[in-house]
Amino acid sequence: MKSQIIYGIVLLITLSLISITNGQTAHAQETQTVKKELPAIKTEQPPIIDGVLNDACWQDAPKAVGFTDERTEKPAKNQSVGCLVYTDKAIYIGLHLYDDMPDKIVARQTKDQTRFQGEDWVSFSLDPFHTHQFSDRNFFLVNALGTKYAHLATGRAEKSEWIGLWKTAAQIVEDGWIVEIEIPWQMLDYPDTNKPIRMGINIDRGQQRTGEKSWWCNLGVNEFRENDGHWVDVLPPRRKRELKLLPYLIGGINETETSVRATSESRWEYTARAGGDIRYEVTPQIRLIGTANPDFDNIEQAVEGIDFSYGERYVPDRRPFFSEGGNVYRLGNSFHSRRIADMDGGLKLFGKLGKNTSIGTLGTYHQNNQNFIVRASQSLTATSNINAAFLSHHHRDTGLNNVGYLSGDVRHGKFSVGSNLVQTWADESDGRNGFISLGYNGQIFQPYLSAFFVDPDFVNRLGYRPFTGYRGVGMGTFIKNEWRQGFFRRISASVQSQISNTYEGKVFRRDLSISSLILTHSDYALAAGWRGGQFEEFSDSVFSIGLRARASDRFNNVGITYNWGEQAGERIHRISGNLNLRAYGFTAGLTSQIQWHFERRYQQILTFTYDFSPALSLGSRLIWQAEHVNVYFALRRSGYAGMDFFIILGDPNALEFKQRLVAKVIRAF
């Protein structure tokens, strides 16, 4: 009876999001704040992308000025100036990023499509449909070396020809640094129109030395996207539909074992394989992605840790087919693509049916299992949306499992409400899962209150749900503040609690966690925390403390963490450490973990890379655990325009080293 009441409440709140926001409009949201605007200026002489702002088009281009520190909400100490023009082929951005200490500008990353960490960067964001939803937002980041990273609204694979061939150039000058960017229209989704329209735009900048993040139109620390600026009266060109192919060829040799008269013999086996992907734009806003005989064996997946967990650990998926258009298929814990382990082929169709309506479908086929997903998303206002999805999984051994999904989010000012409801049908079970959360998105304090339930017969074979048969409430708060000068750079803390029982009324979890982090301007980080309570019949209490040096430098850093206490009725001690070094093109990383609990376990992960160029590198990964040791080596040219190739010795995802040599070639057309 209680679960039916909770189910009804969650369903009512989710559906009421439509009526709550029905009287609001995106225009009403936007009039709350004075908007900055840039007129759209079309030029006949586009700039040369060389990192010098001496082109004629920049002289008369509209200027984005008056940048604001998102934390202090005051004018940024180091200001920036942005210029924006366009042609029928591309959008051009010129940026002068002033810095009173140009010799301390930090630029480390040289590989495109790798997120920047601990260095100076600038980002141009574009919302072509002017919905202010993150799902419609494109942003283009560049560091002071001209290295670039693009996040496109629907998500794209890493191959440059599929992302789009955009250009950047940057240089450090006596009063800061300069960036020029060229973004072809063809790599963007935008409205198909014959009349000038308004798009959302913004520019933000990160400065490593001070930690200052500044915006042209300040979105604040919580990045309220309805406060973006406007690009007014822009007339984009008619979009050309494209067909792109990405075939691959694999040839190799590996050692296999065969049993002959109760003995095993090794022999060498030669293999050859072909497959590929296809990308076709059905309409200017809807694209089809297909894959045939995909190669998942040679993709380096994330490594599951050895730290103790009562349930299954979550391990992310790195396979390109599932990341392509991945923004469309985000359903929280209701879809975890690693559940689809084997497939012979797959299709995706995703994009926009209208300005505020998006849709996506995904289907995969294997002789043992078939999977299908369809999802629709509707933006109601700039700060609210509703999503619905249907998932179907059929396996030869376990039968049919269907899942219905409904979620909604709404925010008014700094207050937000989010909820979802999931219904499953598997054999004779029809379990449900529901969640609702209320939060306050303050500048320093972000408290929340939530309620949830998972029926005992809830079955979603495409989702990630380690436990079933419990219900309860959660509450907590996140605290964070930053300082631009002085000893402290950032201090953050969180207090979170969860209280839940089984459907029979027994204790499922009584959980309280406290964590804190101090980051100094000298780039040291100190973390400390405690987590304790009860899980079923076990009482837990685990402390942790960790120290990192050069905490923001992803290439050269060192850290160590120690955990101790009691978990699952046994004393636990765990020591974790990491060391990363880079010099003269060599990059090496070591992650080590030793745990004394029910038994002693250890895991060491050593990675090594030598970069011949940003595109060409030699890499290796060694994983050493108590039971197994695996190592593989790979020479690869990837991520850039032209032909990609991989020569792999070993198996990147095996438990133990395999005598295996594979060559793979990929070419985009």
Side-chain angles (χ1 to χ4, degrees):
M1 184 64 180
K2 290 182 180 179
S3 63
Q4 298 295 327
I5 295 173
I6 298 174
Y7 163 72
I9 292 173
V10 173
L11 178 60
L12 178 63
I13 292 175
T14 303
L15 293 175
S16 67
L17 288 171
I18 303 176
S19 60
I20 289 173
T21 57
N22 199 31
Q24 302 175 337
T25 64
H27 175 73
Q29 291 283 340
E30 293 167 4
T31 56
Q32 296 177 6
T33 305
V34 177
K35 298 290 181 178
K36 291 183 177 180
E37 295 184 346
L38 288 183
I41 301 298
K42 195 171 184 179
T43 181
E44 299 299 327
Q45 294 182 323
I48 298 172
I49 306 301
D50 56 5
V52 181
L53 299 178
N54 60 357
D55 304 273
C57 65
W58 296 136
Q59 311 313 311
D60 299 324
K63 305 293 192 296
V65 297
F67 280 63
T68 303
D69 184 321
E70 70 170 16
R71 173 62 63 176
T72 66
E73 299 183 343
K74 297 179 180 179
K77 180 181 178 181
N78 288 276
Q79 283 290 318
S80 307
V81 176
C83 306
L84 181 62
V85 297
Y86 77 104
T87 67
D88 283 336
K89 292 185 177 180
I91 301 169
Y92 298 89
I93 305 99
L95 297 152
H96 195 139
L97 308 146
Y98 292 95
D99 196 315
D100 53 9
M101 295 183 181
D103 58 320
K104 294 187 178 181
I105 292 171
V106 181
R108 300 186 179 108
Q109 185 59 255
T110 59
K111 292 186 177 182
D112 289 348
Q113 282 308 107
T114 304
R115 289 299 295 264
F116 306 126
Q117 176 182 315
E119 55 189 294
D120 289 63
W121 54 266
V122 66
S123 172
F124 171 75
S125 58
L126 181 68
D127 177 11
F129 292 93
H130 203 228
T131 65
H132 300 295
Q133 300 288 333
F134 180 80
S135 58
D136 292 328
R137 194 179 185 87
N138 308 273
F139 49 87
F140 303 86
L141 288 87
V142 187
N143 70 2
L145 297 175
T147 308
K148 56 188 187 289
Y149 175 88
H151 169 94
L152 301 184
T154 54
R156 299 274 176 88
E158 293 183 358
K159 193 78 173 85
S160 290
E161 287 91 342
W162 283 38
I163 297 171
L165 300 176
W166 61 297
K167 300 177 183 178
T168 65
Q171 66 167 325
I172 297 175
V173 294
E174 62 181 9
D175 59 353
W177 54 296
I178 291 174
V179 173
E180 286 186 303
I181 304 173
E182 178 187 86
I183 304 170
W185 283 107
Q186 194 63 27
M187 70 185 293
L188 300 169
D189 289 344
Y190 52 84
D192 189 13
T193 177
N194 294 319
K195 298 180 180 180
I197 59 173
R198 173 175 295 201
M199 296 183 177
I201 58 170
N202 215 334
I203 301 169
D204 60 311
R205 170 191 180 184
Q207 189 179 55
Q208 167 59 18
R209 183 179 73 256
T210 62
E212 181 180 69
K213 183 177 180 182
S214 57
W215 295 84
W216 173 54
C217 292
N218 186 25
L219 303 190
V221 295
N222 294 300
E223 297 194 11
F224 293 154
R225 290 177 292 275
E226 68 272 19
N227 295 322
D228 270 336
H230 294 151
W231 196 20
V232 182
D233 293 331
V234 57
L235 182 60
R238 298 302 296 269
R239 210 175 187 291
K240 299 178 182 178
R241 289 188 288 177
E242 292 182 326
L243 172 64
K244 294 185 178 181
L245 302 175
L246 196 68
Y248 77 84
L249 293 172
I250 292 178
I253 183 173
N254 63 283
E255 186 181 34
T256 62
E257 291 189 357
T258 57
S259 297
V260 179
R261 296 179 181 179
T263 62
S264 61
E265 295 182 356
S266 298
R267 65 184 182 88
W268 291 96
E269 182 179 83
Y270 296 90
T271 60
R273 182 176 177 179
D277 298 340
I278 183 174
R279 180 173 178 264
Y280 176 64
E281 294 174 356
V282 181
T283 73
Q285 288 85 36
I286 296 178
R287 59 181 45 86
L288 175 71
I289 304 293
T291 186
N293 197 25
D295 172 38
F296 293 156
D297 295 337
N298 296 301
I299 297 171
E300 181 186 272
Q301 288 280 27
V303 181
E304 183 177 352
I306 62 169
D307 53 305
F308 176 79
S309 174
Y310 284 107
E312 176 192 11
R313 299 181 189 87
Y314 178 84
V315 182
D317 192 356
R318 296 177 177 173
R319 294 174 292 177
F321 175 75
F322 293 104
S323 63
E324 176 75 16
N327 296 347
V328 180
Y329 305 98
R330 288 179 178 168
L331 300 171
N333 292 334
S334 295
F335 177 56
H336 181 31
S337 57
R338 285 192 69 137
R339 298 297 192 209
I340 305 176
D342 303 310
M343 54 182 281
D344 298 320
L347 283 174
K348 284 183 172 185
L349 184 71
F350 57 88
K352 278 191 167 291
L353 297 179
K355 173 181 177 180
N356 297 304
T357 307
S358 300
I359 191 170
T361 65
L362 182 153
T364 68
Y365 173 80
H366 185 264
Q367 61 180 352
N368 294 327
N369 67 87
Q370 298 83 45
N371 304 279
F372 176 76
I373 299 172
V374 59
R375 183 200 181 196
S377 178
Q378 179 71 33
S379 302
L380 305 173
T381 71
T383 58
S384 61
N385 62 78
I386 191 166
N387 305 277
F390 176 77
L391 302 85
S392 182
H393 169 79
H394 183 268
H395 195 278
R396 183 177 61 182
D397 298 328
T398 58
L400 184 65
N401 176 209
N402 292 329
V403 179
Y405 173 93
L406 180 67
S407 73
D409 298 276
V410 61
R411 178 173 54 79
H412 183 76
K414 295 183 178 181
F415 292 92
S416 61
V417 179
S419 64
N420 68 53
L421 179 66
V422 185
Q423 169 78 57
T424 68
W425 300 270
D427 299 325
E428 298 180 358
S429 63
D430 59 351
R432 303 180 185 94
N433 163 32
F435 171 85
I436 181 170
S437 177
L438 294 86
Y440 175 76
N441 305 286
Q443 187 177 25
I444 296 178
F445 294 93
Q446 298 179 355
Y448 71 90
L449 175 66
S450 63
F452 50 85
F453 71 92
V454 185
D455 285 348
D457 53 353
F458 179 84
V459 179
N460 179 6
R461 297 192 178 98
L462 288 178
Y464 173 76
R465 182 62 63 183
F467 305 103
T468 60
Y470 64 95
R471 53 195 171 194
V473 296
M475 63 191 72
T477 186
F478 299 93
I479 306 167
K480 181 180 178 181
N481 204 358
E482 297 179 2
W483 295 266
R484 302 308 182 213
Q485 295 179 337
F487 179 77
F488 295 108
R489 178 171 182 155
R490 182 191 312 137
I491 294 180
S492 61
S494 70
V495 180
Q496 300 183 74
S497 177
Q498 184 184 119
I499 302 172
S500 55
N501 290 338
T502 67
Y503 276 48
E504 292 77 25
K506 297 180 180 179
V507 171
F508 178 70
R509 176 168 287 172
R510 302 287 188 270
D511 191 66
L512 175 64
S513 64
I514 303 171
S515 63
S516 62
L517 174 68
I518 297 173
L519 179 64
T520 71
H521 274 283
S522 54
D523 216 13
Y524 287 92
L526 175 65
W530 174 82
R531 183 168 186 171
Q534 185 177 352
F535 182 85
E536 296 182 342
E537 73 273 19
F538 299 111
S539 294
D540 296 342
S541 177
V542 180
F543 296 87
S544 67
I545 187 168
L547 177 66
R548 288 183 293 157
R550 299 182 66 95
S552 65
D553 185 346
R554 69 182 302 165
F555 297 107
N556 296 279
N557 59 71
V558 61
I560 187 169
T561 301
Y562 176 50
N563 302 79
W564 74 98
E566 183 174 329
Q567 200 163 20
E570 292 283 338
R571 296 294 297 175
I572 186 170
H573 297 273
R574 183 167 59 248
I575 298 176
S576 306
N578 69 276
L579 175 65
N580 294 285
L581 299 170
R582 185 174 75 163
Y584 306 107
F586 292 91
T587 303
L590 173 64
T591 301
S592 180
Q593 189 175 85
I594 304 175
Q595 178 174 273
W596 295 266
H597 196 201
F598 294 98
E599 59 183 1
R600 185 172 72 91
R601 301 188 65 194
Y602 56 85
Q603 180 185 80
Q604 276 71 243
I605 303 174
L606 176 64
T607 59
F608 171 84
T609 304
Y610 178 73
D611 295 320
F612 299 97
S613 70
L616 180 63
S617 63
L618 174 65
S620 174
R621 182 173 74 175
L622 181 146
I623 304 173
W624 177 22
Q625 299 184 15
E627 303 88 357
H628 310 284
V629 177
N630 183 40
V631 62
Y632 89 98
F633 302 88
L635 177 67
R636 53 193 167 207
R637 188 217 183 263
S638 62
Y640 289 74
M643 184 176 67
D644 285 2
F645 65 82
F646 302 80
I647 301 175
I648 302 172
L649 174 62
D651 185 336
N653 302 304
L655 291 176
E656 296 181 333
F657 174 72
K658 290 185 177 180
Q659 297 191 61
R660 173 180 179 266
L661 182 64
V662 172
K664 178 179 180 180
V665 177
I666 307 172
R667 183 70 169 93
F669 298 96

